[in-house]
């Protein structure tokens, strides 16, 4: 069932007069935002915008790109659809929670995703203790480990092979069934004619896996699967000049932008020891409508000296002073759920020097407003847990010795790039799936809309971000779509998934 954005009066006007005017598309806030970005650029340049920047401005400026893409806004499309009788608003009904639940269960079983019954380490305990004192619900994170020694070095490569990664699960399983694994190759370009991909051109790398060897390799196949992630996959398709008539490729790339709060405790925390992430809170994901102010998820990060040192603000003696207290440090992070609020449009992958991918991710007011709320929430939790000093990871934050001081100080912090540290580990989107070619790059199966024998099977197909860490969502969706593809190519029935 489709709901039109135009009122019955507007539809009657079109049918009577042949046109509708006006059709509001931009809100006053969006107009002010675009104008302020243009005026800021002109002020920095010292002159009004002129050629060559006036030509194809949407390729140079994010605000111009947003204006152009209002051509594909449902408000505009509904107006255009009046004369053509087209429906523009449908959804991915095939991917309902009910239809996907069995795929998630299958992958949890295969990859040994289980509840983690070992008590949390001190870093996670502090998050749980502070949250519970404030009446904020927390939960335990499942982990895909088997025989874990609880060392805490997960992110650096499990030294005991307890982590059930693809190196221990999917890759050996594929090899045992006759697959061939090629390493130290860089996929450069898909060759296609009409609607068929014919070959993949690759550059061979030297033994270091970084520098080119000068050798070229070409693969031919009946069907091609791209799984380069939310940066690599759109970049390969752009280098290949695959059909992209609606200019959607590389757009709506989401990051779960992360802001961080560090606290100094009285006792040793030794946050580098023990499972790094075992406690979470979704409390702040549910404080507003999903398309309202951005919600955020709270977790603790893996914390090793190099990771802490490279993320921490400051330099020189000030930085060294913070590092001396490393063993007593607690760190909490907030993952902002981007992509649902209309002003949170995500970033864009484009090709830079050497035709390698570059990600641009504008951080507008909707991101900074959520970042400030997240920094306040984390500081309050840390003080509730007994912290004697808390600082947001921010270049001008002096650190605070009480919740009252933190509440006042964080409310006044200037939030802008290079001052407030924003990081990310979850890259999603760029080859978004949709119900029709004008809305996405692939369909619900990951099949490319314009090339019949091309699939994209990774996190780049998410049309927005998720409210959770995306690992299991990628596992489940890819298992489903790979099974559909295998059944089609082999002529065999789909696996029986209850």
């Amino acid at each position: 069932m489709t709901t039109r954005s135009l009122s019955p009066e507007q539809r009657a006007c079109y049918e009577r007069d042949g046109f509708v005017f006006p059709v509001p598309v931009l809100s006053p806030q969006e107009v002010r935002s675009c104008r302020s970005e243009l005026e800021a650029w002109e002020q920095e340049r010292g002159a009004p915008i002129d050629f060559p920047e006036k030509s194809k401005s949407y390729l140079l400026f994010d605000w111009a790109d947003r204006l152009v893409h209002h051509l594909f806004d449902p408000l505009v499309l509904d107006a255009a659809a009046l004369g053509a009788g087209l429906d523009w608003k449908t959804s991915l009904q095939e991917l309902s929670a009910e239809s996907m639940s069995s795929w998630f269960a299958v992958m949890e079983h295969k990859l040994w995703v289980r509840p983690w019954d070992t008590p949390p380490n001190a870093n996670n305990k502090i998050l749980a203790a502070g949250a519970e004192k404030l009446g904020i619900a927390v939960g335990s994170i499942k982990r895909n480990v088997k025989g874990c020694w609880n060392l805490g070095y997960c992110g650096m490569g499990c030294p005991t092979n307890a982590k059930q990664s693809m190196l221990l699960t999917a890759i050996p399983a594929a090899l045992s069934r006759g697959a061939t694994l090629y390493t130290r190759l860089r996929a450069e370009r898909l060759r296609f004619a009409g609607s068929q991909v014919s070959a993949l051109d690759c550059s061979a790398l030297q033994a270091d896996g970084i520098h080119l060897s000068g050798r070229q390799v070409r693969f031919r196949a009946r069907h091609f699967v791209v799984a380069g992630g939310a940066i690599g996959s759109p970049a390969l398709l752009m280098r290949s000049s695959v059909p992209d008539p609606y200019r959607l490729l590389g757009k709506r790339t989401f990051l779960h932008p992360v802001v961080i709060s560090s606290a100094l405790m009285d006792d040793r925390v030794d946050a580098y020891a023990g499972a790094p992430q075992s406690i979470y809170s979704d409390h702040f994901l549910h404080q507003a409508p999903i398309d309202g102010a951005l919600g955020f998820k709270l977790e603790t990060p893996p914390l090793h000296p190099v990771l802490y040192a490279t993320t921490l603000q400051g330099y020189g003696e000030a930085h060294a002073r913070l590092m001396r207290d490393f063993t007593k440090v607690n760190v909490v992070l907030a993952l902002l759920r981007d992509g649902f609020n209309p002003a949170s449009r995500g970033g864009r992958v484009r090709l830079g020097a050497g035709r390698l991918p570059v990600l641009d991710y504008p951080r507008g007011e909707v991101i900074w407003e959520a970042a400030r709320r997240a920094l306040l929430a984390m500081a309050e939790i840390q003080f509730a847990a007994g912290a004697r000093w808390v600082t947001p990871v921010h270049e001008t934050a002096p650190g605070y010795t009480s919740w009252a001081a933190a509440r006042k100080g964080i409310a006044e912090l200037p939030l802008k790039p290079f001052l407030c540290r924003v990081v990310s580990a979850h890259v999603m989107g760029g080859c978004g799936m949709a119900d029709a070619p004008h809305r996405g790059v692939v369909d619900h199966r990951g099949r490319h809309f314009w090339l019949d024998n091309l699939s994209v099977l990774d996190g780049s197909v998410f049309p927005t971000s998720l409210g959770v860490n995306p690992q299991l969502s990628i596992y489940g969706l890819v298992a489903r779509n790979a099974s559909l593809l295998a059944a089609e190519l082999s002529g065999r029935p789909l696996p029986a998934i209850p």
Side-chain angles (χ1 to χ4, degrees), residues 314-335:
Y315 56 92
E317 176 56 31
H319 187 277
R321 188 165 56 249
L322 295 174
M323 286 301 299
R324 290 188 194 106
D325 291 319
F326 173 66
T327 58
K328 294 185 176 182
V329 165
N330 157 258
V331 174
V332 180
L333 55 80
L335 299 91

Side-chain angles (χ1 to χ4, degrees), residues 164-442:
Q164 300 300 289
S165 68
M166 298 301 103
L167 289 175
L168 293 177
T169 54
I171 292 176
L175 294 175
S176 70
R177 288 166 173 78
T180 302
L181 177 64
Y182 294 87
T183 66
R184 296 176 178 84
L185 290 178
R186 181 197 293 167
E188 299 286 4
R189 179 186 176 192
L190 292 163
R191 294 184 174 272
F192 64 93
S195 63
Q196 293 290 311
V197 179
S198 59
L200 170 67
D201 291 343
C202 297
S203 297
L205 305 177
Q206 297 179 24
D208 60 11
I210 300 173
H211 298 97
L212 297 174
S213 69
R215 297 184 180 91
Q216 301 296 312
V217 180
R218 177 171 293 177
F219 291 93
R220 299 187 186 279
R222 184 174 158 203
H223 195 97
F224 292 82
V225 173
V226 174
I231 294 178
S233 289
L236 173 61
L237 300 188
M238 283 188 275
R239 282 197 299 269
S240 306
S241 299
V242 302
D244 184 26
Y246 296 100
R247 297 183 64 249
L248 300 174
L249 194 54
K251 302 293 179 63
R252 291 187 63 80
T253 302
F254 299 102
L255 300 179
H256 278 168
V258 172
V259 290
I260 309 163
S261 184
S262 177
L264 192 59
M265 312 303 290
D266 288 325
D267 300 321
R268 287 183 70 108
V269 178
D270 294 334
Y272 53 84
Q277 291 183 315
S278 57
I279 299 294
Y280 74 96
S281 176
D282 282 347
H283 173 83
F284 296 98
L285 287 176
H286 308 302
Q287 302 306 299
I290 193 170
D291 58 351
L294 271 58
F296 51 89
K297 185 185 191 80
L298 297 182
E299 298 176 349
T300 64
L303 205 64
H304 293 271
V306 170
L307 181 60
Y308 184 61
T310 54
T311 307
L312 195 62
Q313 72 265 35
Y315 56 92
E317 176 56 31
H319 187 277
R321 188 165 56 249
L322 295 174
M323 286 301 299
R324 290 188 194 106
D325 291 319
F326 173 66
T327 58
K328 294 185 176 182
V329 165
N330 157 258
V331 174
V332 180
L333 55 80
L335 299 91
L336 309 185
R337 183 176 59 190
D338 50 346
F340 292 88
N341 183 294
S344 176
R345 296 172 176 270
R348 176 177 64 175
V349 174
R350 58 181 175 83
L351 298 180
R355 296 181 66 73
L356 295 176
V358 175
L359 172 63
D360 296 319
Y361 189 96
R363 281 154 289 177
E365 180 56 33
V366 69
I367 297 288
W368 292 125
E369 186 277 333
R372 194 181 304 277
R373 281 188 288 109
L375 293 173
L376 287 165
M378 291 187 288
E380 184 176 15
I381 287 171
Q382 289 169 315
F383 278 117
R388 57 185 172 91
W389 186 79
V390 171
T391 180
V393 178
H394 186 289
E395 291 298 331
T396 68
Y400 312 102
T401 57
S402 70
W403 165 231
R407 182 169 52 194
K408 182 177 185 299
I410 294 172
E412 297 171 353
L413 280 178
L415 298 185
K416 57 179 65 176
F418 307 115
L419 287 183
C420 181
R421 190 66 53 86
V422 181
V423 300
S424 172
H426 303 157
V427 188
M428 301 159 279
C431 296
M433 58 183 168
D435 53 2
H438 70 275
R439 295 173 66 89
V441 176
V442 299

